[in-house]
Amino acid sequence: MSIKFPPPGARHQEIALSSVTVPADDFPPLPAPTFGHRVAVWWMILKTSLGERLVYRGDFALGTLMRFLPIITQIFLWYAVFDSIGDPEGSSAAQIGGFGFRDMVAYYLLTMIARAFSSMPGLASGIAQQIREGEIKRFLIQPIDLIAFLLLTRIAHKLAYYAIAVAPFALVFFLARDYFVGGWPSLPVFLAFCGSLVMGFLIGFFLEAAIGMIGFWFLEVSSLLFVIMLFSFFLSGHMFPLTMLPESVLTVVNWLPFKYLAYFPAAIFLEKIPEEELAREMWIEAGWLVFFIILCRIAYARGVKRYSGFGG
């Protein structure tokens, strides 16, 4: 390589570079990342995301605590419903879909926990927006998997949420302990309840992530997302137990994945699911989880192939 500089005072600078050939052996291929390296990256993403959630701690805590206010409204609402059809409490208490008034309040409290696990606000719309605005291309040139990155950020969000909400949840459940007529479930049932919460979280994540991947094919998915989330809100059992639905509708709903987002964990805790059916239902939930993982991965892989990003 030779560089020639002009004498001082010259108006133009002339630089002549000769071609340089570097043997390929001088640049050996980079070693494949080990599992330890991946874990270190995952931990860094999780820690960073958790720090971002806690930057505005006061606002985050206030928003979390405000979610407990509808509990009082729901208790009065269901009391009025049961009072209109019979005695809300007592030996001759009215029942709707196998739930009495106290069971209904306990059910609502448990669905709050289940929905706190499975709800993914802004996930699908955020993915579609990143695709539409071209932000997703940074995941195509960096050694970070988009789906794993989003999953870790959601885990960080849930950890931050429950770190603040655990005390209010404990207080609410202590004050409402008399509504849990059956008491604390047995250890196998409680473990099944915890397992259903974890799988409900993963189903909720991969379901919404798969919906967000539709942005690779359609420019705007907000209308489709609204329709799907509307069905999910009602068919998950968040508003009322699914046993209140007509038998013909309930037969179809029982085979859909939405009930595992809210109804199923609450029904397990309240022992509304017979023991002989519990294992089968858990396997069905696991099957839905595998289905949505595969669906999300396939949608992302095919979407990336047809994605085109331009500009900076």
Side-chain angles (χ1 to χ4, degrees), residues 170-200:
L171 178 61
V172 169
F173 273 77
F174 175 76
L175 296 176
R177 61 189 182 278
D178 293 336
Y179 290 101
F180 291 83
V181 180
W184 196 262
S186 61
L187 181 60
V189 174
F190 181 73
L191 293 177
F193 167 73
C194 295
S196 67
L197 289 178
V198 174
M199 286 194 289

Side-chain angles (χ1 to χ4, degrees), residues 106-290:
Y107 172 82
Y108 178 72
L109 294 176
L110 290 168
T111 55
M112 284 187 61
I113 295 180
R115 288 295 297 181
F117 270 84
S118 61
S119 63
M120 303 288 160
L123 176 61
S125 59
I127 294 175
Q129 182 180 4
Q130 288 188 20
I131 296 173
R132 183 172 62 252
E133 297 180 357
E135 296 180 9
I136 199 172
K137 62 179 176 288
R138 62 192 175 102
F139 293 99
L140 306 180
I141 60 177
Q142 295 176 354
I144 300 176
D145 178 60
L146 169 66
I147 299 176
F149 176 82
L150 294 175
L151 178 59
L152 290 170
T153 55
R154 288 292 160 168
I155 292 176
H157 173 77
K158 299 302 180 183
L159 290 176
Y161 173 80
Y162 275 104
I164 296 175
V166 62
F169 264 121
L171 178 61
V172 169
F173 273 77
F174 175 76
L175 296 176
R177 61 189 182 278
D178 293 336
Y179 290 101
F180 291 83
V181 180
W184 196 262
S186 61
L187 181 60
V189 174
F190 181 73
L191 293 177
F193 167 73
C194 295
S196 67
L197 289 178
V198 174
M199 286 194 289
F201 163 74
L202 294 174
I203 288 176
F205 173 82
F206 285 103
L207 169 61
E208 286 221 20
I211 297 173
M213 299 299 173
I214 299 177
F216 282 113
W217 287 267
F218 297 94
L219 184 63
E220 184 58 56
V221 298
S222 57
S223 299
L224 176 63
L225 179 61
F226 175 78
V227 173
I228 295 176
M229 291 301 103
L230 186 64
F231 275 101
S232 173
F233 189 73
F234 285 98
L235 299 183
S236 66
H238 181 64
M239 291 293 294
F240 50 81
L242 297 180
T243 51
M244 297 176 61
L245 295 172
E247 190 65 30
S248 57
V249 178
L250 182 60
T251 302
V252 177
V253 173
N254 277 333
W255 288 101
L256 297 178
F258 300 117
K259 73 174 186 177
Y260 300 107
L261 303 178
Y263 170 79
F264 186 61
I268 292 177
F269 193 97
L270 296 175
E271 299 183 285
K272 297 294 184 179
I273 299 179
E275 293 184 5
E276 62 273 12
E277 298 181 9
L278 182 57
R280 179 176 65 88
E281 289 287 347
M282 294 293 290
W283 278 110
I284 294 176
E285 183 177 13
W288 275 115
L289 173 58
V290 174

Side-chain angles (χ1 to χ4, degrees), residues 28-39:
L30 295 175
T34 64
F35 180 74
H37 293 151
R38 295 182 184 276
V39 171

Side-chain angles (χ1 to χ4, degrees), residues 78 81-82 84-85 93-101 104 241 243-244:
W78 283 113
V81 170
F82 279 93
S84 65
I85 62 175
Q95 287 195 350
I96 305 177
F99 286 79
F101 168 66
M104 193 66 73
T243 51
M244 297 176 61

Side-chain angles (χ1 to χ4, degrees), residues 40-61:
V41 172
W42 295 339
W43 169 247
M44 181 59 65
I45 295 173
L46 179 64
K47 185 170 62 173
T48 304
S49 300
L50 187 60
E52 290 176 351
R53 300 293 178 183
L54 297 177
V55 169
Y56 301 102
R57 289 181 286 272
D59 180 72
F60 189 83

Side-chain angles (χ1 to χ4, degrees), residues 281-302:
E281 289 287 347
M282 294 293 290
W283 278 110
I284 294 176
E285 183 177 13
W288 275 115
L289 173 58
V290 174
F291 169 77
F292 282 117
I293 291 176
I294 296 175
L295 177 64
C296 184
R297 282 294 177 184
I298 292 177
Y300 180 59
R302 295 193 174 184

